[in-house]
């Protein structure tokens, strides 16, 4: 966001693109679809199902799309550790890309299920981002406080609770002309 307005998103034409997610692949080389069609006789429907429902954390770990489960067993199964590492690496890469597009950062926000509930993931993502001015406070992060960066950090790092269902309901209500004041 710049001046309160979104300038970019990691998603492309569909939410499948961008950051690897629970079951979505994230960014893929466009050449993959014709390659799989040729070598595996994969149909468009099968490809769609694979990249939206069988990929991401689930596809890499081969067992689970749930970050809590992956973290619990990452030391026992290499594929689970690889899924966690891939997610953290890609999140870090997106942060770097957006920092470049923005010319720097004032605030980094973690939200959503993983961002709100996984201090170890937040720490791994932020590790090595000190050159951007990100300096996490280990205690604040472990306690999932609203601000998890050190007071001396150039970039404020926040954890913001989200209610995606409420926001979708409000947007739908507004589109349908039912007003903006929808409350559950």
């Amino acid at each position: 966001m710049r001046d309160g307005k979104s300038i970019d998103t990691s998603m492309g034409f569909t939410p499948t693109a961008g950051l690897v997610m629970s079951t979505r692949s994230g960014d893929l080389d466009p050449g993959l679809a014709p390659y799989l069609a040729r070598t595996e006789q994969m149909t468009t429907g099968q490809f769609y199902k694979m990249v939206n429902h069988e990929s991401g954390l689930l596809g890499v770990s081969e067992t689970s799309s749930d970050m809590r489960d992956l973290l619990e067993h990452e030391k026992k199964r290499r594929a689970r550790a690889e899924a966690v590492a891939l997610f953290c690496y890609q999140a870090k890469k997106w942060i770097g890309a957006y920092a470049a597009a923005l010319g720097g950062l004032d605030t980094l926000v973690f939200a959503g299920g993983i961002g709100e509930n996984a201090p170890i993931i937040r720490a791994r993502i932020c590790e090595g981002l000190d050159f951007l001015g990100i300096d996490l406070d280990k205690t604040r992060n472990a306690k999932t406080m609203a601000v998890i960066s050190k007071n001396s950090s150039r970039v404020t790092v926040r954890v913001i609770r989200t209610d995606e269902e409420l926001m979708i309901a409000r947007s739908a209500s507004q589109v349908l002309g039912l007003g903006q004041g929808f409350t559950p």
Side-chain angles (χ1 to χ4, degrees):
M1 306 272 296
R2 179 184 286 135
D3 300 323
K5 302 223 185 252
S6 176
I7 65 158
D8 204 346
T9 176
S10 66
M11 294 183 286
F13 180 69
T14 70
T16 306
L19 178 66
V20 65
M21 294 184 243
S22 294
T23 61
R24 292 182 184 149
S25 63
D27 285 346
L28 291 175
D29 183 320
L32 181 62
Y35 172 79
L36 291 175
R38 187 178 68 251
T39 62
E40 304 297 321
Q41 291 70 51
M42 187 175 280
T43 66
T44 302
Q46 290 169 321
F47 184 78
Y48 178 87
K49 181 180 176 190
M50 179 188 74
V51 299
N52 283 286
H53 304 289
E54 300 169 345
S55 295
L57 298 176
L58 175 62
V60 174
S61 73
E62 301 175 342
T63 57
S64 179
S65 63
D66 189 316
M67 185 62 79
R68 294 168 297 194
D69 182 52
L70 297 175
L71 286 169
E72 184 179 337
H73 298 98
E74 74 176 322
K75 287 184 173 43
K76 297 175 190 168
R77 296 188 122 169
R78 182 177 173 182
R80 290 183 185 200
E82 289 172 348
V84 172
L86 176 65
F87 179 84
C88 294
Y89 172 79
Q90 285 197 351
K92 184 181 300 197
K93 190 166 77 169
W94 281 106
I95 292 167
Y98 290 139
L102 290 164
L105 298 175
D106 297 324
T107 305
L108 174 63
V109 175
F110 286 95
I114 296 171
E116 292 175 32
N117 300 304
I120 192 167
I121 297 299
R122 294 191 301 260
R124 289 179 187 179
I125 290 169
C126 290
E127 188 177 311
L129 294 180
D130 50 316
F131 74 99
L132 290 175
I134 295 171
D135 193 6
L136 283 191
D137 182 296
K138 291 179 184 180
T139 303
R140 289 177 179 177
N141 184 42
K143 292 180 179 179
T144 307
M145 296 176 72
V147 175
I148 60 172
S149 51
K150 292 181 180 176
N151 292 339
S152 60
S153 181
R154 266 193 352 246
V155 173
T156 302
V157 183
R158 298 183 176 277
V159 177
I160 297 180
R161 299 274 173 216
T162 56
D163 188 338
E164 294 173 8
E165 291 83 7
L166 176 61
M167 297 311 296
I168 291 168
R170 283 186 176 160
S171 294
S173 178
Q174 187 175 9
V175 167
L176 295 171
L178 303 173
Q180 297 182 38
F182 178 84
T183 54

